[in-house]
C-alpha cells in the first residue's frame, strides 16, 4: 500500500510536470481544463455594455434637463406677468394681452452670454447701477451687446428685472433702448440690450473735456429725441408708462448721438383712465423727483414732466442739479434758472461751450419750457405732447412759469445745535424724509 501510494504521488507529480512542460505557453489560457479568456471576455463585455448604457442615459438626461431648463426659464419669465410687485404692480395691468413666448420674452442661453462677455471679465465692465453691473459683450456674429447682471446683494434688482421684462420687451421706439433678450439660468439673472457706443448723456454733459462734442444743435436734437420718447411712453404705446427715473445717466447715446431712454426698473403702468397713483415706496434720484412725489408719494405723467424739465435745464447749463447748490442764497439750479430768466438774463445760464454755436431764440425757448415743466403744481405743468408742440413752434406764445417751490435735490441734515454761522439750509426749511434714492 505504501508503494502504491508512493507510485500515485509520483504519477501525480509527473503528470503535473508533464502538463507544465507540454502547455507552458498556454499557462494563462488554461486553468483546470477550461479556457481562461471566457470569463475575462464576459467581464469586458459587461463593463463595455454598462459604459454604453450609462453614456446613453447621461445623454438622454442632459437633453431632457436642458429642455427642462429652457421650459423652466420660459415659465419663470411668463410668471413675471403676475409676479409680486409689493402691491404696486397689479396683475390686471396686462389683462386682455396675448403673450408670444418667443417674441415677448426672448431668452438667450447663459453659455452664449458668458462667451460674449468673456465670463464677465473686468475689462468688459461698463459701469454699475441700482440693478447691478453692466458689461459689454460681442456675439459670435460680431454684434455688440450690453448685459445687465443682477447683483447678488441688490435689494431691488429682481423687482427691476421683472419690471424691465414686463415693460421694455413690449415697447418699440427709436428713442427707447432695445431689449434683445434675458436669461435666468444657474442663479444668474441677466438682461441683454443693444450696445450704445457713446455711453450715457451725463458722461458728456458734465465733463468739460467731452461737453465740447455737444454743440447746441446736437443738444437741441437730444432734447427733442428725449421728449418724443416720453410722449411714446405716456400716450402712443399700447401701455401707458410712467418712467419715474428720468435723468441724464438713463439717457443713452447711439453711434450717431441719438438719445435712447433706458432703465425701466422703476417704471409704473397706468390704465387708460388713470391720472395719478400713490406709493409708500418712493424711489428715484435726488434732483429729478417732483415735489409731490418726493414728499407725498404721489406720481403721474406730470412727475415725468418735472424730471424732463430738470434734464432740459441741465442740458442747457451743463450743470448737474443735485450738485448745484448756492449756499449763500439757498438756490438750486431750478431757482437759479428762474431768477435769471425772470430778470431777462436767461442766456447767462448756458454752458460756456455753447456760446459760439447756440441760437439764442431756441435757447431761451428751451429755458422757458424747462421752467414750465418744473412748476410746483402738477396741473400747471404741460403734457409732453404740448412740450413737443412748443419745441417745434416758432410763433407759439408760452405761458409765464411760476417760481419752483423748493429744491428736491438732497436731504439737508439739520444741526442739533444750529448756529447763526450755519449757511446750509433747505429751500423750504424742512428736511426730506421717507425717500429711497438709487
Amino acid at each position: 500500500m505504501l508503494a502504491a501510494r508512493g507510485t500515485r504521488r509520483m504519477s501525480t507529480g509527473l503528470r503535473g510536470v508533464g502538463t507544465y512542460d507540454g502547455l507552458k505557453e498556454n499557462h494563462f489560457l488554461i486553468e483546470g481544463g477550461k479556457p481562461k479568456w471566457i470569463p475575462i471576455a464576459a467581464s469586458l463585455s459587461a463593463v463595455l455594455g454598462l459604459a454604453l448604457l450609462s453614456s446613453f442615459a447621461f445623454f438622454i438626461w442632459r437633453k431632457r434637463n436642458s429642455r427642462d431648463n429652457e421650459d423652466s426659464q420660459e415659465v419663470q419669465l411668463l410668471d413675471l406677468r403676475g409676479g409680486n410687485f409689493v402691491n404696486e404692480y397689479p396683475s390686471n395691468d396686462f389683462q386682455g394681452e396675448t403673450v408670444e413666448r418667443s417674441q415677448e420674452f426672448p431668452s438667450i442661453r447663459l453659455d452664449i452670454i458668458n462667451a460674449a462677455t468673456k465670463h464677465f471679465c473686468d475689462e468688459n465692465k461698463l459701469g454699475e447701477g441700482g440693478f447691478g453691473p453692466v458689461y459689454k459683450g460681442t456675439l459670435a456674429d460680431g454684434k455688440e451687446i450690453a448685459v445687465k447682471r443682477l447683483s447678488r446683494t441688490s435689494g431691488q434688482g429682481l423687482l427691476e428685472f421683472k419690471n424691465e421684462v414686463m415693460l421694455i420687451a413690449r415697447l418699440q421706439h427709436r428713442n427707447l433702448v432695445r431689449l434683445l433678450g434675458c436669461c435666468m439660468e444657474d442663479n444668474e439673472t441677466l438682461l441683454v440690450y443693444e450696445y450704445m457706443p457713446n455711453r450715457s448723456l451725463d458722461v458728456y454733459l458734465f465733463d468739460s473735456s467731452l461737453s465740447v462734442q455737444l454743440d447746441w444743435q446736437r443738444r437741441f436734437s437730444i432734447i427733442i429725441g428725449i421728449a418724443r420718447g416720453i410722449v411714446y411712453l405716456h400716450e402712443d404705446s399700447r401701455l401707458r408708462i410712467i418712467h419715474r427715473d428720468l435723468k441724464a445717466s438713463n439717457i443713452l447715446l447711439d453711434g450717431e448721438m441719438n438719445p435712447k431712454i433706458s432703465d425701466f426698473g422703476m417704471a409704473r403702468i397706468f390704465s387708460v383712465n388713470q391720472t395719478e397713483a400713490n406709493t409708500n415706496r418712493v424711489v428715484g434720484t435726488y434732483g429729478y423727483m417732483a415735489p409731490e412725489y418726493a414728499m407725498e408719494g404721489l406720481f403721474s405723467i406730470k412727475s415725468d414732466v418735472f424730471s424732463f424739465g430738470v434734464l432740459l435745464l441741465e442740458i442747457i447749463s451743463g450743470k448737474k442739479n443735485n450738485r448745484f447748490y448756492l449756499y449763500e442764497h439757498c438756490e438750486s439750479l431750478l431757482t437759479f434758472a428762474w431768477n435769471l430768466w425772470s430778470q431777462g438774463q436767461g442766456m447767462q445760464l448756458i454752458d460756456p461751450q455753447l456760446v459760439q454755436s447756440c441760437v439764442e431764440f431756441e435757447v431761451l425757448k428751451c429755458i422757458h419750457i424747462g421752467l414750465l415743466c418744473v412748476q410746483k403744481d402738477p396741473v400747471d405743468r404741460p403734457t409732453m405732447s404740448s412740450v413737443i408742440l412748443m419745441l417745434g413752434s416758432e410763433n407759439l406764445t408760452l405761458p409765464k412759469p411760476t417760481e419752483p417751490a423748493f429744491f428736491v435735490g438732497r436731504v439737508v441734515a439739520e444741526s442739533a445745535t444750529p448756529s447763526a454761522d450755519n449757511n446750509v439750509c433747505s429751500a423750504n426749511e424742512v428736511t426730506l424724509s421717507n425717500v429711497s434714492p438709487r
Side-chain angles (χ1 to χ4, degrees):
M1 290 184 65
L2 290 174
R5 289 176 183 172
T7 303
R8 191 178 296 124
R9 285 198 194 100
M10 289 194 61
S11 174
T12 304
L14 290 171
R15 187 168 54 247
V17 172
T19 301
Y20 179 81
D21 291 337
L23 300 175
K24 185 175 182 180
E25 68 276 10
N26 296 327
H27 175 70
F28 295 101
L29 298 178
I30 301 295
E31 182 179 3
K34 296 181 180 180
K36 198 173 184 179
W37 60 267
I38 294 178
I40 295 175
S43 300
L44 289 175
S45 298
V47 171
L48 182 60
L50 183 61
L52 290 174
L53 182 62
S54 299
S55 299
F56 181 73
F58 176 76
F59 174 78
I60 295 298
W61 173 84
R62 184 174 182 180
K63 186 175 182 179
R64 181 176 299 174
N65 187 61
S66 176
R67 185 182 302 132
D68 289 343
N69 283 340
E70 292 178 2
D71 292 342
S72 176
Q73 183 177 35
E74 289 188 354
V75 169
Q76 291 180 64
L77 293 174
L78 290 172
D79 285 345
L80 297 181
R81 296 176 64 234
N84 180 17
F85 285 85
V86 199
N87 297 323
E88 288 195 276
Y89 304 87
S91 58
N92 60 6
D93 286 330
F94 292 100
Q95 285 184 357
E97 288 198 26
T98 58
V99 180
E100 299 179 13
R101 299 166 81 172
S102 62
Q103 296 180 4
E104 298 285 1
F105 298 111
S107 60
I108 300 178
R109 296 201 319 268
L110 180 60
D111 60 329
I112 295 176
I113 298 176
N114 280 333
T117 61
K118 296 180 180 178
H119 292 271
F120 302 100
C121 65
D122 289 339
E123 66 182 26
N124 282 336
K125 188 174 181 179
L126 298 174
E128 189 156 356
F131 183 95
V134 181
Y135 296 85
K136 179 184 177 182
T138 305
L139 298 176
D141 61 0
K143 184 174 185 177
E144 294 180 319
I145 58 174
V147 182
K148 272 187 180 183
R149 187 185 195 188
L150 174 63
S151 172
R152 304 287 172 83
T153 60
S154 175
Q156 297 298 327
L158 184 58
L159 177 64
E160 292 183 15
F161 175 83
K162 292 179 178 180
N163 228 24
E164 293 261 356
V165 171
M166 287 176 65
L167 299 180
I168 197 169
R170 294 172 167 83
L171 304 175
Q172 296 292 332
H173 190 271
R174 68 187 304 268
N175 294 118
L176 301 183
V177 69
R178 184 184 174 198
L179 178 67
L180 301 178
C182 49
C183 177
M184 294 176 67
E185 187 179 337
D186 291 346
N187 295 320
E188 289 283 5
T189 305
L190 308 167
L191 290 169
V192 181
Y193 296 90
E194 59 178 329
Y195 176 66
M196 296 287 104
N198 285 315
R199 298 172 289 177
S200 56
L201 178 59
D202 64 319
V203 172
Y204 291 86
L205 205 56
F206 308 127
D207 187 320
S208 58
S209 62
L210 294 176
S211 61
V212 294
Q213 300 182 38
L214 298 178
D215 60 12
W216 172 246
Q217 289 305 315
R218 177 64 65 191
R219 297 193 195 200
F220 189 61
S221 176
I222 289 173
I223 291 170
I224 292 177
I226 297 170
R228 286 174 176 165
I230 303 174
V231 169
Y232 172 78
L233 294 175
H234 288 182
E235 302 178 16
D236 297 336
S237 70
R238 51 177 168 160
L239 303 174
R240 194 175 192 183
I241 307 298
I242 313 300
H243 189 281
R244 293 206 298 175
D245 199 21
L246 290 168
K247 57 184 177 180
S249 60
N250 282 341
I251 306 299
L252 304 184
L253 303 173
D254 66 12
E256 298 178 353
M257 303 297 280
N258 296 311
K260 292 179 182 283
I261 300 171
S262 70
D263 199 343
F264 287 78
M266 303 297 180
R268 283 288 305 271
I269 305 168
F270 267 22
S271 60
V272 176
N273 298 321
Q274 189 176 3
T275 57
E276 68 176 26
N278 183 273
T279 179
N280 294 322
R281 188 176 64 92
V282 177
V283 293
T285 304
Y286 290 134
Y288 296 90
M289 289 186 287
E292 73 277 4
Y293 178 51
M295 304 302 293
E296 303 175 41
L298 291 172
F299 64 94
S300 64
I301 59 173
K302 297 299 183 72
S303 306
D304 281 354
V305 172
F306 183 93
S307 301
F308 173 79
V310 175
L311 186 54
L312 179 52
L313 295 175
E314 288 184 336
I315 292 173
I316 294 171
S317 66
K319 297 179 175 63
K320 195 172 183 62
N321 187 33
N322 60 8
R323 293 180 183 173
F324 184 94
Y325 198 74
L326 300 181
Y327 291 100
E328 182 179 356
H329 303 290
C330 295
E331 283 187 325
S332 69
L333 175 61
L334 310 185
T335 53
F336 179 69
W338 187 86
N339 287 331
L340 289 176
W341 180 85
S342 61
Q343 296 168 14
Q345 301 175 358
M347 291 301 293
Q348 293 186 22
L349 181 68
I350 68 170
D351 187 336
Q353 306 285 2
L354 299 178
V355 173
Q356 299 297 324
S357 64
C358 72
V359 179
E360 183 173 342
F361 167 76
E362 290 181 342
V363 171
L364 292 175
K365 179 175 65 174
C366 286
I367 294 174
H368 193 155
I369 294 171
L371 293 173
L372 288 172
C373 291
V374 298
Q375 294 179 101
K376 175 184 177 181
D377 192 339
V379 175
D380 293 335
R381 300 172 202 155
T383 62
M384 288 306 302
S385 56
S386 297
V387 168
I388 288 288
L389 181 62
M390 290 186 282
L391 287 170
S393 174
E394 296 183 359
N395 302 316
L396 189 63
T397 301
L398 307 183
K400 182 179 179 180
T402 57
E403 181 178 6
F406 59 90
F407 177 40
V408 185
R410 66 180 70 190
V411 173
V412 181
E414 295 181 344
S415 172
T417 55
S419 64
D421 295 329
N422 187 2
N423 291 325
V424 179
C425 63
S426 65
N428 66 336
E429 299 181 352
V430 299
T431 300
L432 301 183
S433 59
N434 193 31
V435 178
S436 304
R438 296 190 63 212

